[in-house]
Amino acid sequence: MGGVAQILDLAYLNPIWWLSVAILGFKLFALLDAVTRREDAYRAADKKTKPFWLMILAIAFGWDLLFGVNFFTGIGTLAGLVASIVYMVDVRPAIRALTGGGGRGGRSNTGPYGPW
């Protein structure tokens, strides 16, 4: 069973189901976060471009959505999970540091002359 059918199976007592849903949720969160960040922040943080990260994270999420989360033989699942983790622990913090935290045009605690 693969893809969306794997999620809709609703096997609540199966820990693999919970892990599959958690991985899909993590990948979706990383993708949505990458969408909301500004393009110039990626370049300023000296990370790859925004289209690069959107493509990688969309492929990672789409792969599991189409073919299912397969832990033991799914190289696509593992590669996508690694890419999502790299985005979340390396790229996202660097962009947030440059954009004042939110990255969505929200308020931050820095004024024109430094923190307040």
Side-chain angles (χ1 to χ4, degrees):
M1 183 179 338
V4 177
Q6 182 180 15
I7 296 169
L8 295 178
D9 184 31
L10 301 177
Y12 296 123
L13 297 177
N14 186 354
I16 299 296
W17 183 87
W18 285 103
L19 193 57
S20 300
V21 171
I23 287 175
L24 273 173
F26 180 72
K27 288 180 179 183
L28 179 62
F29 179 79
L31 176 61
L32 293 177
D33 185 76
V35 166
T36 61
R37 302 295 170 181
R38 296 184 349 218
E39 165 67 31
D40 59 338
Y42 287 86
R43 286 178 278 139
D46 199 26
K47 303 299 176 187
K48 299 283 187 185
T49 63
K50 182 175 181 173
F52 171 82
W53 282 107
L54 290 178
M55 182 180 63
I56 294 296
L57 296 172
I59 289 171
F61 178 70
W63 179 272
D64 287 345
L65 201 59
L66 291 174
F67 301 113
V69 178
N70 189 346
F71 302 102
F72 305 110
T73 59
I75 190 75
T77 296
L78 295 177
L81 184 60
V82 168
S84 298
I85 290 170
V86 166
Y87 174 81
M88 292 297 287
V89 301
D90 183 38
V91 178
R92 183 175 188 246
I95 292 172
R96 289 185 74 187
L98 287 175
T99 58
R104 296 171 184 87
R107 293 180 44 194
S108 68
N109 65 344
T110 55
Y113 304 110
W116 51 272

